[in-house]
Amino acid sequence: MGSIRVKLDLVLADRRMSLTELSERVGVTMANLSILKNGKAKAIRFSTLEALCRELGCQPADLLEYLPEEKP
C-alpha cells in the first residue's frame, strides 16, 4: 500500500512563512500543524485543507503527494 506525504514544510519555506504565522492565519493550533507537517497526521479535514490552501495560495496537490508502494 502506498502512502501520502505532506509537503507543508516545503510550501512554508517557499512562502517564507513560519508555522506560527500560518497557525495564526488559519486558526489551527501549532500542535496540530506540527503533527501534519511531520507526517504524523492520520487525517485532515477539508475545512483545514481549504484554509491552508487559501492562506498559502496553493492547491491541495502542492501540500499532498501520493507515494506508491515500491515493488520488490
Side-chain angles (χ1 to χ4, degrees):
M1 185 162 102
S3 63
I4 300 292
R5 176 176 167 237
V6 178
K7 303 184 293 183
L8 181 57
D9 53 345
L10 299 173
V11 176
L12 282 171
D14 189 51
R15 306 295 190 280
R16 299 179 194 269
M17 185 184 298
S18 70
L19 201 60
T20 303
E21 183 180 351
L22 182 62
S23 172
E24 292 168 358
R25 287 184 178 200
V26 297
V28 175
T29 66
M30 283 284 296
N32 284 339
L33 284 181
S34 183
I35 288 168
L36 184 62
K37 183 174 98 78
N38 293 320
K40 303 291 184 195
K42 299 292 181 198
I44 183 171
R45 292 181 178 176
F46 279 156
S47 59
T48 300
L49 187 57
E50 288 170 8
L52 292 172
C53 288
R54 180 186 66 241
E55 292 302 323
L56 294 169
C58 68
Q59 293 294 315
D62 297 325
L63 295 171
L64 304 172
E65 176 181 30
Y66 174 69
L67 301 172
E69 179 179 13
E70 292 185 23
K71 297 186 180 183

